[in-house]
Amino acid sequence: AQKITQTQPGMFVQEKEAVTLDCTYDTSDPSYGLFWYKQPSSGEMIFLIYQGSYDQQNATEGRYSLNFQKARKSANLVISASQLGDSAMYFCAMREAHNNDMRFGAGTRLTVKP
Amino acid sequence: DTAVSQTPKYLVTQMGNDKSIKCEQNLGHDTMYWYKQDSKKFLKIMFSYNNKELIINETVPNRFSPKSPDKAHLNLHINSLELGDSAVYFCASSRRGGNEKLFFGSGTQLSVL
C-alpha cells in the first residue's frame, strides 16, 4: 500500500526567503505520480506541481520546484522568494499508475513572517 | 463555470438525521472521489467511482452511501449522522492515470450537533 509522510507539522519562513517542505513516500509500483497541493485558510485545494516517476528532470512551476530524489523516495517542495500569501497548509500526494486513488500526507502548515 | 461544484457549502444538522451532499463536474472526467478532511486537516479517501462504477470503498461506515447517476455526478448520502461525522467533505474528479491531478470542489463543512 502506498504511504506518504510529511514530517514537518509546521514551518516558519521569513518573507522573500526560500523554504523546503519535506515529503517521503513508499510504493512498490514503478510508475507513479507525485503532487503538491496548497490549502489556504479559505479551504480550497489548489494544485501546485506534479512530478512523474520516470521524469528525468525536477519539475518547476514559477516559484515552486520539486526536488525529486527517486532512490531516497523523496519529493520535497521548494518555494522560492516566499510571499505572505504562501501561508497555508501544503499537502504532498501520490497516485500509482495501477490505482485509481490519490493518497495524501498529513500536511505541513507554512507560516510566512513579514 | 466552476469545474467541480458541490452543494451545500455548509451543512449544520442534528445527530441522527440523514443528509446528502451533491457533486457535479463539467470537465468530462471519468473518475470522481469523495474525501473527508478531519479537524487535524488529514485528507482521507472515502470512495472512488470510475464511469459510475465503484472502484474504491475504504473502511467507511455503511451509513455513508455514494451514488453516481452518471459520470458527471457523484452524491454522498449519510444516514444517522453522528458527532464524529463532523468534517469537511471534498468531492474531486480526474482523468484516469497516475499522472493525472485531481480537481477539487470547494468542500462541504458538515457540523453535527
Side-chain angles (χ1 to χ4, degrees), chain A residues 32-35 37 39 42-45 47 50 89 91 95-97 100-106 109, chain B residues 31 33 35 37 41-43 45 48-50 55-56 58 90 94-102 104:
Chain A
Y32 52 89
L34 297 157
F35 304 79
Y37 281 83
Q39 186 179 40
S42 50
E44 70 268 33
M45 294 290 290
F47 166 75
Y50 159 80
M89 284 290 290
F91 293 96
R95 188 172 186 181
E96 296 169 333
N100 209 36
D101 60 344
M102 182 179 288
R103 306 279 169 153
F104 287 79
R109 182 174 296 280
Chain B
T31 308
Y33 307 81
Y35 282 83
Q37 187 173 43
K41 300 296 186 182
F42 186 67
L43 270 163
I45 190 166
S48 166
Y49 268 76
N50 189 65
I55 302 297
I56 295 169
E58 292 289 294
F90 282 100
S94 79
R95 295 191 192 98
R96 293 200 77 174
N99 61 339
E100 298 291 343
K101 66 185 179 187
L102 266 57
F104 282 85

Side-chain angles (χ1 to χ4, degrees), chain A residues 6-44:
Chain A
Q6 294 180 254
T7 57
Q8 307 153 314
M11 288 282 287
F12 290 89
V13 65
Q14 207 66 34
E15 195 178 6
K16 299 180 185 176
E17 291 185 351
V19 63
T20 298
L21 306 183
D22 295 342
C23 174
T24 58
Y25 60 92
D26 189 25
T27 179
S28 56
D29 194 329
S31 179
Y32 52 89
L34 297 157
F35 304 79
W36 278 90
Y37 281 83
K38 172 184 178 181
Q39 186 179 40
S41 57
S42 50
E44 70 268 33

